[in-house]
Amino acid sequence: MIFRTRLYIFAFSLSIVAFSARAQERLLTVDDIYDPVKRINFNGSPPLNLTWLEDGEHYLQPESAKEGTTRIWKVRAATGERELFFDGAKMESALRRVPGIDADGARRLSSQTSYNFNPTRTAVLLNYANDLFYYELGSDRVVRLTATPEEETEATFSPDGQLVAFVRAANLYVVELATGRERALTTDGSDDLLNGRLDWVYEEELYGRGNRRGYWWSPDSTRIAYLQLDERRVPQFTVVDHLPRLQALEQTHYPLAGDPNPLVKLGIVSVAGGPTRWADLASYVPEDLLISRVAWSPDGQRVVFQAQNREQTFLDLNAAEAETGRTTRLFREQTRAWVEAVDNPYWLRDGTFLWRSERNGWMHLYHYASDGKLIRQVTNGDWEVRDLYGVDEKAGWVYFAATEHSHIAEHVYRVRLDASRMMRLTQTEGWHRAVFNPQYARFIDYWSDVQTPTQVRLLDAEGKLVRVIDENRVEALRQFKLGKPEFLQVKTRDGFIMEAMMIKPPDFDPNRKYPVMSYTYSGPHAPSVRNVWGGSTYMWHQSLAQRGYIIWICDNRTASGKGAQSAWAAYGNFGELELRDLEDGIAYLRNLPYVDASRIGLWGWSFGGYMTSYALTHSQSFRIGIAGAPVTDWRLYDSIYTERYMRMPQNNPDGYQRSSVIRAASNLHGKLLLIHGTIDDNVHLQNSIQFIHELQGAGKQFQLMLYPKSRHGVTDPLLVKHLRQMMTDFILANL
């Protein structure tokens, strides 16, 4: 009987092994990854937008229901017990009774994944058909705040929750919630003079894509600081939508490198109305001024702002008195290249503040007195502080994200304010992102690695596991035959250590010769080699590996994320050093016995598209290249980004000429696939058109694909599938 049982167990084990082997034999298709209907969810569905409540014991978790609606749960962090945060049906019923809001609109407004809450999270601000509405959670009444044909944007609650500010027709307004009384704080706004709203280049290059709000409440809700941007001297760029019978023209103020930037002023205005008090900017030349960050001091007496020259070779942290506008410089940041604005000061209760700086070549934390005098450097070393999460002032701990353990993965750390006892709180290899509760007693840890989609856990302030919130097991990944990513390091000819990742075919044979398809971005301080889940692009790379290609990603030094000191090497001359480093990575590959050195390809998008185009016109190392939305001459890109790294064309003509792809079109080597969205408002189609013109004039053949309704990225799911199928076919046919 025992013998028979053992035989049964042995046979059963063999069947499991055989089933597991069969389960991992599937090969990926473009449909599996990108088809809007057939695609497999390889990312899983982890809760990515958890928001702590002020009690520090609960967080909010949105959850999509099968019927297409969303509910928001109030979850007890330690146990997972949950209850609905508010009654969505009651909100929907109240909205249905508002004239002008139809049933579908009421349903959508009452089932959003996120809301513009008031500070106490007892009410929300809603925007419907370009008007604003106020709803107190749990009530039966919705208050219409605006009823105008113009659009209201950038709406926010005051810190005390009694007022709402917004921008309409380039002017700044407030409305009192108790009375509904509306008040214009500025009246001179126009298409060419923006009050409280950022223009394209300020949003994209200084304050962050998706953030167009250019005003800031004082802590006591009595004043608003705002930027005024004068666009009158800024050239307009026209983007053309060719699909309508009569083409649609979209005109945007867009300063190319060397063009006039918007003239900027910093105003301070009372919410009760009255004239604006302008911050004193007399020490700066108006045409050479950027205001790259604005915030208030905790006492509401000063507006603290960061001022830079247009080439961003310095950054001044200034304080303007709210009553008088008188400005005092607290200190100036300078390096041997550029200074990039990162954070506002993080204020402590005693009036001192923490500040992130790259002054020594690595981003670190510094502790300052309120008058701008340095108290001490808090962190130090050949690694970076990537984010400042906050400070537990009672316990004396500073919490932050850093690369001290690994240059290719962020971890969570803490250190004493006196710079002692630094410790890493996350131990699992891979990428960690923390969201701390207001008391800094625990944090939500979003973790992934290159092979594992995001998982969510709750950890205490010591880094100990409290609860697994969502392990997010994606069983679909087990069905496919995937190559194992390998992280490695490659030395450049002058000794810099580059990070690299390789994915070999899942049935790799060391006795065969394999072609290589490589990916690059290459832009300053923008690493691509990261031990983090890569989503659909990672799976597409796996699909190429299944077809017999080695996937290669190698970060050139200026993109490596190994401190600003590594990126400064590209100052004034894009392309040359980046290509040299990429070629050193290729030289490493050529020495591997299983690499076919005659079949190496390169692809990239945006800066990566530029780098691919540059490589194929300045090197003979690559058999094919796929360049998506490339900058082809840096004179054709926006002023603030370009001049930070290249200076103005007037001050660096040789650097712009050497970095140009257009000027080297006649040197094209290898087969090029050029891709661009025709209404790209970031890297304009002009870049590709001018490159195409020079290629044709030089008798160079290439392939081109345009996406008529796409901007800087192709986002329509059907078009994304078309894009990836085209790229796959191009690689299979030519590499």
Side-chain angles (χ1 to χ4, degrees):
M1 185 66 182
I2 295 174
F3 179 69
R4 287 181 181 176
T5 301
R6 287 176 177 167
L7 280 177
Y8 173 77
I9 292 172
F10 179 69
F12 181 68
S13 300
L14 283 177
S15 69
I16 291 175
V17 171
F19 174 78
S20 177
R22 287 195 303 274
Q24 294 179 342
E25 287 299 313
R26 284 185 64 181
L27 299 181
L28 289 159
T29 66
V30 170
D31 280 358
D32 291 331
I33 308 169
Y34 294 109
D35 186 86
V37 176
K38 301 175 185 176
R39 65 185 172 194
I40 298 168
N41 180 9
F42 291 112
N43 296 323
S45 302
L48 297 177
N49 299 305
L50 303 182
T51 304
W52 285 101
L53 296 179
E54 282 302 311
D55 66 3
E57 300 294 332
H58 297 86
Y59 57 78
L60 299 183
Q61 178 175 342
E63 181 181 78
S64 297
K66 291 181 180 179
E67 62 271 18
T69 61
T70 299
R71 293 174 292 186
I72 296 181
W73 296 94
K74 177 182 176 181
V75 182
R76 179 170 290 278
T79 65
E81 297 174 86
R82 66 182 193 174
E83 59 182 302
L84 283 174
F85 183 59
F86 66 88
D87 187 340
K90 196 166 190 176
M91 179 193 282
E92 181 178 356
S93 176
L95 287 164
R96 281 174 178 265
R97 293 194 292 272
V98 177
I101 299 182
D102 59 23
D104 182 62
R107 183 187 61 81
R108 285 187 289 106
L109 289 172
S110 62
S111 61
Q112 297 177 175
T113 57
S114 64
Y115 285 93
N116 188 349
F117 286 103
N118 67 348
T120 57
R121 296 188 186 275
T122 57
V124 297
L125 195 59
L126 303 169
N127 191 314
Y128 181 78
N130 294 329
D131 276 319
L132 298 177
F133 299 83
Y134 173 77
Y135 174 71
E136 290 187 2
L137 300 181
S139 74
D140 296 312
R141 192 169 69 97
V142 177
V143 178
R144 178 188 282 271
L145 299 179
T146 65
T148 66
E150 298 94 352
E151 179 183 14
E152 284 84 25
T153 63
E154 321 311 326
T156 61
F157 284 100
S158 59
D160 64 8
Q162 302 302 306
L163 300 162
V164 167
F166 58 87
V167 176
R168 177 196 296 146
N171 281 309
L172 186 61
Y173 290 78
V174 292
V175 58
E176 298 174 1
L177 293 175
T179 65
R181 185 180 299 118
E182 180 181 287
R183 191 159 39 249
L185 303 184
T186 68
T187 58
D188 56 353
S190 68
D191 290 343
D192 294 328
L193 193 71
L194 308 181
N195 292 304
R197 193 165 195 228
L198 304 178
D199 72 344
W200 187 92
V201 72
Y202 258 68
E203 174 198 359
E204 176 72 16
E205 306 299 2
L206 290 178
Y207 288 83
R209 188 177 302 173
N211 178 21
R212 296 206 66 180
R213 182 165 65 88
Y215 70 86
W216 298 268
W217 284 98
S218 65
D220 63 2
S221 303
T222 63
R223 296 184 177 101
I224 292 178
Y226 70 95
L227 293 185
Q228 183 185 81
L229 296 174
D230 184 344
E231 305 278 299
R232 283 172 289 189
R233 297 174 63 249
V234 181
Q236 289 195 329
F237 197 95
T238 302
V239 170
V240 182
D241 183 353
H242 294 273
L243 292 188
R245 179 173 174 271
L246 297 177
Q247 295 162 309
L249 305 182
E250 179 184 293
Q251 291 192 312
T252 305
H253 288 288
Y254 185 109
L256 299 174
D259 284 346
N261 278 332
L263 299 178
V264 62
K265 295 168 68 176
L266 174 61
I268 306 161
V269 63
S270 169
V271 298
T276 292
R277 174 72 65 186
W278 298 104
D280 181 4
L281 302 174
S283 60
Y284 301 101
V285 177
E287 294 79 12
D288 192 38
L289 173 64
L290 305 174
I291 296 181
S292 48
R293 291 289 185 276
V294 180
W296 285 85
S297 62
D299 61 7
Q301 299 305 304
R302 300 184 298 169
V303 177
V304 180
F305 66 98
Q306 297 172 40
Q308 299 186 261
N309 60 330
R310 67 175 292 160
E311 288 187 345
Q312 298 153 77
T313 58
F314 68 79
L315 183 152
D316 290 342
L317 183 66
N318 296 320
E321 294 177 6
E323 285 288 344
T324 66
R326 187 172 72 88
T327 296
T328 302
R329 189 172 82 187
L330 301 182
F331 58 79
R332 171 171 285 190
E333 291 275 9
Q334 282 184 295
T335 71
R336 60 183 173 87
W338 64 83
V339 179
E340 189 168 357
V342 180
D343 287 338
N344 283 308
Y346 183 95
W347 296 95
L348 304 177
R349 283 196 298 266
D350 62 3
T352 65
F353 62 89
L354 290 177
W355 176 257
R356 281 205 294 156
S357 170
E358 294 178 313
R359 65 188 62 166
N360 71 354
W362 298 86
M363 182 71 76
H364 280 295
L365 292 172
Y366 296 80
H367 189 190
Y368 274 90
S370 61
D371 61 0
K373 288 186 169 57
L374 179 64
I375 298 172
R376 68 173 55 86
Q377 184 172 346
V378 179
T379 63
N380 195 18
D382 292 348
W383 47 272
E384 295 189 317
V385 173
R386 292 279 179 85
D387 197 3
L388 172 58
Y389 292 131
V391 181
D392 179 354
E393 296 195 55
K394 185 177 180 181
W397 289 110
V398 181
Y399 292 91
F400 58 96
T403 59
E404 182 268 345
H405 175 69
S406 169
H407 289 298
I408 64 171
E410 292 181 10
H411 281 264
V412 183
Y413 293 80
R414 72 180 185 183
V415 67
R416 290 290 191 190
L417 266 171
D418 65 5
S420 66
R421 296 175 60 187
M422 191 180 91
M423 62 181 294
R424 178 161 56 100
L425 302 180
T426 48
Q427 302 302 318
T428 308
E429 295 296 332
W431 196 282
H432 297 262
R433 179 175 66 87
V435 179
F436 279 84
N437 72 347
Q439 294 76 22
Y440 296 95
R442 50 175 68 112
F443 64 95
I444 297 165
D445 178 29
Y446 295 98
W447 169 85
S448 73
D449 66 20
V450 71
Q451 298 183 87
T452 313
T454 301
Q455 299 180 359
V456 189
R457 292 174 173 81
L458 180 68
L459 279 64
D460 68 16
E462 305 281 339
K464 296 175 183 175
L465 178 66
V466 177
R467 183 171 70 87
V468 176
I469 295 174
D470 192 332
E471 201 167 16
N472 189 35
R473 289 187 176 275
V474 182
E475 296 299 329
L477 287 168
R478 299 164 60 92
Q479 301 173 19
F480 290 87
K481 192 175 184 180
L482 304 178
K484 184 178 180 181
E486 303 171 34
F487 291 109
L488 56 152
Q489 295 180 323
V490 178
K491 274 191 178 182
T492 64
R493 64 195 73 179
D494 59 353
F496 184 87
I497 298 175
M498 298 188 294
E499 304 295 332
M501 184 181 79
M502 178 186 289
I503 304 175
K504 295 174 183 173
D507 53 359
F508 176 74
D509 179 352
N511 297 312
R512 282 184 55 190
K513 292 276 191 180
Y514 292 93
V516 176
M517 191 63 202
S518 56
Y519 167 78
T520 193
Y521 182 76
S522 290
H525 205 281
S528 300
V529 179
R530 306 190 304 164
N531 191 8
V532 67
W533 176 246
S536 59
T537 299
Y538 169 75
M539 296 305 293
W540 182 69
H541 281 153
Q542 284 282 359
S543 75
L544 294 177
Q546 290 176 345
R547 288 165 172 79
Y549 295 92
I550 289 175
I551 302 301
W552 176 252
I553 305 175
C554 181
D555 280 332
N556 52 290
R557 75 188 71 191
T558 58
S560 67
K562 294 183 178 181
Q565 53 88 32
S566 64
W568 291 338
Y571 192 44
N573 188 23
F574 275 159
E576 188 175 315
L577 179 59
E578 294 93 325
L579 177 58
R580 196 181 81 187
D581 285 353
L582 293 181
E583 288 193 310
D584 285 351
I586 298 303
Y588 168 84
L589 290 175
R590 284 182 171 142
N591 287 324
L592 299 176
Y594 48 81
V595 168
D596 184 344
S598 68
R599 299 167 66 196
I600 297 176
L602 181 67
W603 85 275
W605 203 274
S606 195
F607 200 109
Y610 161 72
M611 202 61 230
T612 300
S613 303
Y614 185 91
L616 265 67
T617 53
H618 291 78
S619 165
Q620 297 189 6
S621 297
F622 302 96
R623 186 164 178 170
I624 70 167
I626 302 175
V631 175
T632 57
D633 190 302
W634 288 100
R635 294 176 181 86
L636 304 179
Y637 196 52
D638 80 62
S639 57
I640 294 181
Y641 179 91
T642 306
E643 293 170 15
R644 180 185 304 148
Y645 308 114
M646 292 286 291
R647 305 175 64 208
M648 295 173 68
Q650 301 91 315
N651 298 332
N652 183 25
D654 291 342
Y656 277 81
Q657 181 159 335
R658 288 195 305 270
S659 68
S660 175
V661 174
I662 291 172
R663 292 174 182 270
S666 61
N667 298 324
L668 180 68
H669 176 86
K671 295 190 174 181
L672 173 66
L673 170 60
L674 192 59
I675 307 168
H676 220 123
T678 63
I679 59 170
D680 191 334
D681 58 350
N682 186 333
V683 179
H684 299 132
L685 180 61
Q686 176 189 46
N687 283 267
S688 286
I689 294 295
Q690 291 195 15
F691 186 32
I692 288 167
H693 178 69
E694 294 299 322
L695 289 171
Q696 291 169 340
K700 295 293 183 178
Q701 297 297 320
F702 60 95
Q703 290 181 225
L704 172 69
M705 179 59 67
L706 300 178
Y707 287 93
K709 293 296 282 187
S710 294
R711 294 194 181 272
H712 192 48
V714 178
T715 57
D716 182 295
L718 281 173
L719 299 184
V720 173
K721 177 186 172 182
H722 181 278
L723 168 72
R724 291 300 188 174
Q725 186 65 62
M726 174 193 60
M727 292 172 65
T728 302
D729 293 344
F730 180 79
I731 293 167
L732 293 175
N734 297 290
L735 191 65

